[in-house]
Amino acid sequence: MADSGVQEKQDGRKQSQETPSEEADKQNAFTEEADRLKKENMLKRLWTKAGLNVGILLMMFKGALPPTIALAVYQVSAFAAIYSTLGYLVAIMSVLSLCILPRSKFIQTMLLNVIGVCIGAAVALLQIYCSVQARAHTTHKPAATSNGPSPGAAVTGYNSSASAVSAIWLFFNIYVVNTLRASRPQLQLPVILYSIFANVAGVYAPSFPTMAAGIKFTERLLECFLTGFGIATAVSLLVFPTTVRMTWFKQSAEFIQTVQVALKTQMRYFQTLERNDMFNRHEESDDGHQEDKLKRHRKPHAAQIPTDIETYNLKATIEGLGDLMGKMHADIAFAKRETAWGKLKASELEELFKLLQGIMLPLSGMASTADIFERLARRWGWTGDQSESSRARRAQSEKIKTQWNEIMVSLHDPFASMTSDMHDGLQHVLYVLELAKPLGKKNKTNNANKAAKGSEDVEASAGAIEPGNYGYGEYLAKRVDRFHEHRRSTIRALCEKKGVKLNTGNTLTQTDSTFEFQQEQTALSAEQEQRQSNKRQLFLVLYMDYLLWSTGKAVLKLVQYADHKVEDGTMKKSRLIVPGQRRTRKWILSLLNHGDSTTEHAPDSAESGSAIITSGSSFGDAKDPEHLVPATAWQRGSNYFRRFGRSLGSIESAHGFRVACATMSIAIVAYLEDTREFFLEQRIVWAMVMVAIGMTVTAGSGVFGFIGRIAGT
């Protein structure tokens, strides 16, 4: 026994001797693990901040494919012999065609590009014709002296008359097309391509001795443009093809999932209001642990007021919903015009979009409740030191804070239940409209086996209907009505506690607009302030209740819409969806309208009338006191002459004039005899092209674009 006791003491001493080293090893291992997690979290944050995902990487690959193909085929001798020194335009046109756009946007843009380039070719032929005629009237025997920019397009020496005529045509051409670009933002890309065609043709136009050489050059230039368009079209339609409908449905699914996140964040914010320290700062202890440091590094606002954290998350989520709604609004027009193989028609997409908008409005109102509580916290000093306040003021502040804690505790269960029901309702919409994959067959089989065995879990959940099942809309309607009834009882209990008497039968209806406070009227300001505080509490609770109930009603309408599409057979099978004549006519007219709402992808869309708001006749154009309202056809027709005069002094016309002047300040070098050869050898024509691409209506946008292009170059 003595030996065993000695042995135990020796083992204990050994263990005590080994304990510090083991603790040091554990601390080192923990530090290494913390550093590793810190590096992983940093990489994850950088990746998340960059916004990269598999879809974006695929689009990056798709966008790089057309110029790669164009440059690869340019290495073939037969291809290079045909396109000669103009072959580089094939790669440039394949890039500017924007093959990464969804199908309907790409087809519309490509259609406008082809039309614009063909018009540019016609105008270029007219310019070359005038230049050739000017040369013919000043030169007796125009003859080719050297090979031109393309096979068959021989050029001759300098002629001042031909250069002057070409310069005039170029100035007029650039002025007109950029005026159109400023007034019609949806034509931005076609105008850029038109400007490139006009600049290249305008520089070489004075060099052609005959019209045959000019026609040959124009044909080759047009072939370069169309070849680049063809490569971009093949890549767009064959490599990772996407449609606007596909993009819009992904945005809809993301919108619904973000609404689910917003509902959970909103509920967490309400839970922070149940705590007595809801507006007190929680400083993290600096005890040297790497885990706490990692938490602070991962979430810098974690050591703040509890409500501030959830307020930030709630507002950030609502802001994300607004961004998604803006993207969906921009894409809905193209999605309705698109020919596709699917289930929902254009009118059904419009109805779905309106229902999603209906959810956005009351949910956005919930973010304002956070601002209201912040003002309350500042008013009663909950966020700062109250040492300078009087004892009565501090007591009143703590009393009101306790009252709000009790109110939010009483609202916790109904709010949590309603939030859960709305979350499941949105999940039901995702399943029914096939925006998300429902439970797999394996899970359904397991559930069926459990039901066949008569397990207790199935019996306990017999009254509930899971999202995606038939009849969920009716179940959700009952849950929403139940919350509405609970609203009545909650407000009734709150009124009784505050000494408030309801005027009409103790019920909450639209006629219950006034309340009578059964409190003793005294001259004390404290009691009057308490009465005002009770009123504010009641009105704010009514506001939160109504917003949550309105959100539930909006979700219910969306669920009923999804169930209706299942009942009428819309979601049963896919079909060919073709836009009707009316929608096609509206699409054609929208291409030339002043304010096309589908041009948010264009940089100039924010500078011109891309969004028109009708404010009534009082905000319209002032009537001209010198001209009566036209009564005859001749008078109405003469108004167009007056509009032409006003258009010359418009902002758009001024922009076109600025671009033309900037272009000619560079192009003048090509039209002077001493510098023309230098201009052509150094290809300074691309300085003219950058002017056409970079100049926008406003100076700020133009400078910002130029800085970005300089940095990219």
Side-chain angles (χ1 to χ4, degrees):
M1 295 294 293
D3 294 339
S4 61
V6 173
Q7 185 68 26
E8 289 178 357
K9 292 180 180 179
Q10 293 177 354
D11 294 341
R13 285 195 298 268
K14 291 181 180 179
Q15 185 177 3
S16 63
Q17 292 175 358
E18 295 175 357
T19 299
S21 61
E22 291 178 356
E23 291 182 354
D25 293 340
K26 290 181 180 180
Q27 183 66 25
N28 293 333
F30 182 81
T31 303
E32 293 176 358
E33 181 67 14
D35 294 338
R36 185 184 65 81
L37 292 175
K38 184 178 180 180
K39 294 180 180 179
E40 291 182 356
N41 292 336
M42 182 180 298
L43 294 176
K44 185 180 296 185
R45 287 198 310 273
L46 292 175
W47 180 267
T48 304
K49 189 175 182 179
L52 295 177
N53 52 43
V54 177
I56 294 178
L57 294 177
L58 292 178
M59 288 300 103
M60 294 168 61
F61 170 78
K62 183 177 180 179
L65 197 56
T68 305
I69 296 174
L71 294 177
V73 297
Y74 195 43
Q75 307 305 315
V76 181
S77 300
F79 186 91
I82 295 175
Y83 293 96
S84 185
T85 58
L86 298 176
Y88 66 94
L89 289 172
V90 177
I92 294 174
M93 292 305 107
S94 65
V95 173
L96 294 180
S97 298
L98 300 180
C99 67
I100 61 175
L101 291 176
R103 185 175 60 195
S104 62
K105 288 186 177 181
F106 175 80
I107 292 176
Q108 173 179 312
T109 304
M110 183 57 62
L111 178 62
L112 295 175
N113 291 344
V114 172
I115 294 175
V117 170
C118 290
I119 295 175
V123 176
L125 288 174
L126 180 59
Q127 180 181 3
I128 294 173
Y129 173 78
C130 295
S131 178
V132 169
Q133 291 300 313
R135 177 185 292 274
H137 286 80
T138 55
T139 303
H140 296 291
K141 293 181 179 181
T145 58
S146 61
N147 295 328
S150 63
V155 296
T156 186
Y158 177 81
N159 184 273
S160 60
S161 299
S163 297
V165 171
S166 297
I168 294 173
W169 265 105
L170 180 62
F171 184 89
F172 175 76
N173 209 1
I174 297 300
Y175 164 74
V176 172
V177 74
N178 280 276
T179 300
L180 181 64
R181 172 188 176 183
S183 61
R184 303 293 186 273
Q186 64 267 31
L187 300 179
Q188 183 203 6
L189 187 58
V191 167
I192 290 176
L193 301 182
Y194 180 96
S195 299
I196 295 175
F197 198 102
N199 285 322
V200 175
V203 167
Y204 287 102
S207 303
F208 300 122
T210 61
M211 194 62 193
I215 293 175
K216 196 68 176 178
F217 168 78
T218 305
E219 288 179 352
R220 193 65 65 197
L221 186 60
L222 182 61
E223 289 175 358
C224 291
F225 276 69
L226 296 181
T227 302
F229 293 163
I231 294 174
T233 301
V235 172
S236 177
L237 300 181
L238 299 179
V239 180
F240 305 125
T242 58
T243 64
V244 180
R245 288 173 60 93
M246 184 188 306
T247 304
W248 195 84
F249 281 127
K250 289 182 180 179
Q251 293 172 350
S252 301
E254 185 179 356
F255 181 87
I256 294 175
Q257 292 168 354
T258 308
V259 170
Q260 292 177 321
V261 174
L263 291 173
K264 293 181 179 180
T265 306
Q266 172 184 286
M267 193 59 212
R268 288 196 300 269
Y269 173 75
F270 289 153
Q271 289 176 352
T272 60
L273 298 177
E274 301 174 10
R275 300 165 51 178
N276 190 37
D277 58 348
M278 53 184 177
F279 290 103
N280 294 338
R281 290 186 180 275
H282 288 185
E283 298 294 342
E284 293 184 356
S285 60
D286 189 9
D287 55 358
H289 290 292
Q290 295 292 333
E291 184 177 359
D292 293 338
K293 294 182 180 180
L294 284 179
K295 286 182 180 180
R296 289 197 299 270
H297 184 72
R298 180 174 61 252
K299 200 171 184 179
H301 58 279
Q304 299 294 330
I305 299 174
T307 53
D308 285 353
I309 302 173
E310 300 305 334
T311 299
Y312 172 82
N313 295 334
L314 180 60
K315 291 184 177 181
T317 307
I318 298 298
E319 184 179 355
L321 283 175
D323 295 339
L324 273 175
M325 183 58 65
K327 294 178 182 178
M328 293 172 63
H329 181 267
D331 292 339
I332 184 67
F334 283 100
K336 292 189 296 183
R337 299 167 185 167
E338 196 169 41
T339 300
W341 181 261
K343 297 180 179 180
L344 296 180
K345 298 182 296 184
S347 58
E348 294 167 339
L349 292 181
E350 180 69 23
E351 186 177 359
L352 176 60
F353 179 68
K354 291 181 179 179
L355 292 173
L356 294 177
Q357 283 182 319
I359 297 176
M360 182 70 186
L361 182 60
L363 195 60
S364 300
M366 277 297 183
S368 64
T369 59
D371 298 330
I372 296 174
F373 278 105
E374 287 178 1
R375 288 196 294 269
L376 284 175
R378 289 194 300 267
R379 181 168 181 254
W380 291 104
W382 296 340
T383 59
D385 187 10
Q386 301 185 27
S387 58
E388 298 181 358
S389 302
S390 62
R391 181 178 301 178
R393 180 71 175 178
R394 291 197 299 270
Q396 183 72 4
S397 174
E398 290 298 323
K399 180 180 179 181
I400 293 178
K401 182 191 293 187
T402 303
Q403 290 176 353
W404 272 116
N405 294 149
E406 294 174 354
I407 291 173
M408 297 310 299
V409 169
S410 64
L411 296 176
H412 175 84
D413 290 339
F415 276 25
S417 177
M418 189 61 189
T419 301
S420 177
D421 292 335
M422 288 189 293
H423 181 278
D424 293 343
L426 294 171
Q427 196 67 30
H428 175 78
V429 173
L430 291 174
Y431 291 160
V432 171
L433 296 182
E434 301 178 3
L435 300 177
K437 293 183 179 180
L439 295 176
K441 294 182 178 180
K442 183 176 181 180
N443 293 332
K444 291 182 179 180
T445 303
N446 293 336
N447 293 338
N449 293 335
K450 289 182 180 180
K453 293 179 181 180
S455 61
E456 295 179 1
D457 294 338
V458 174
E459 293 177 357
S461 60
I465 301 179
E466 296 182 355
N469 294 343
Y470 177 77
Y472 187 84
E474 298 178 357
Y475 168 76
L476 182 61
K478 295 179 181 178
R479 299 289 294 180
V480 173
D481 292 340
R482 178 183 176 184
F483 174 78
H484 184 57
E485 293 298 329
H486 198 283
R487 287 177 61 226
R488 297 172 181 270
S489 59
T490 302
I491 300 301
R492 187 182 303 116
L494 179 62
C495 292
E496 292 176 355
K497 187 175 182 180
K498 299 295 182 182
V500 178
K501 179 181 178 181
L502 301 179
N503 288 338
T504 55
N506 206 23
T507 59
L508 292 177
T509 62
Q510 294 182 354
T511 59
D512 301 329
S513 58
T514 59
F515 301 92
E516 180 183 355
F517 284 78
Q518 304 297 327
Q519 295 184 353
E520 296 182 359
Q521 299 294 329
T522 62
L524 297 177
S525 60
E527 294 192 9
Q528 292 178 356
E529 189 173 4
Q530 180 64 36
R531 290 174 55 243
Q532 293 295 328
S533 177
N534 291 339
K535 291 172 63 176
R536 294 190 187 99
Q537 289 178 358
L538 178 60
F539 294 153
L540 184 53
V541 170
L542 286 171
Y543 179 64
M544 292 189 297
D545 270 349
Y546 181 76
L547 286 178
L548 193 63
W549 178 69
S550 299
T551 307
K553 294 289 288 183
V555 172
L556 177 60
K557 290 181 180 179
L558 184 60
V559 170
Q560 292 173 343
Y561 166 81
D563 289 343
H564 178 68
K565 293 303 154 187
V566 174
E567 294 174 358
D568 63 8
T570 301
M571 303 302 299
K572 186 176 182 180
K573 62 179 181 179
S574 301
R575 60 190 64 84
L576 182 63
I577 299 174
V578 181
Q581 295 181 357
R582 176 175 171 271
R583 199 170 300 279
T584 304
R585 183 173 63 254
K586 290 176 61 178
W587 167 65
I588 295 174
L589 294 176
S590 68
L591 296 179
L592 298 177
N593 284 343
H594 180 75
D596 186 8
S597 60
T598 61
T599 58
E600 282 78 1
H601 61 280
D604 291 344
S605 61
E607 303 171 356
S608 186
S610 61
I612 297 177
I613 301 176
T614 302
S615 302
S617 59
S618 59
F619 294 93
D621 296 335
K623 295 182 179 180
D624 191 348
E626 298 181 358
H627 293 83
L628 296 175
V629 178
T632 63
W634 173 257
Q635 293 175 353
R636 286 190 294 269
S638 63
N639 277 342
Y640 288 100
F641 294 101
R642 299 172 58 210
R643 292 181 183 177
F644 176 76
R646 288 195 298 267
S647 64
L648 293 179
S650 62
I651 298 176
E652 292 80 5
S653 177
H655 169 70
F657 183 78
R658 289 197 304 269
V659 177
C661 291
T663 302
M664 285 305 302
S665 65
I666 302 173
I668 191 64
V669 180
Y671 296 124
L672 299 178
E673 184 175 7
D674 296 336
T675 56
R676 178 171 177 77
E677 184 177 355
F678 169 79
F679 185 94
L680 296 178
E681 289 179 355
Q682 302 300 323
R683 297 186 183 275
I684 305 180
V685 64
W686 285 104
M688 301 164 55
V689 172
M690 292 308 301
V691 169
I693 293 176
M695 290 192 68
T696 56
V697 178
T698 58
S701 177
V703 172
F704 180 79
F706 275 126
I707 293 175
R709 292 181 181 91
I710 292 173
T713 303

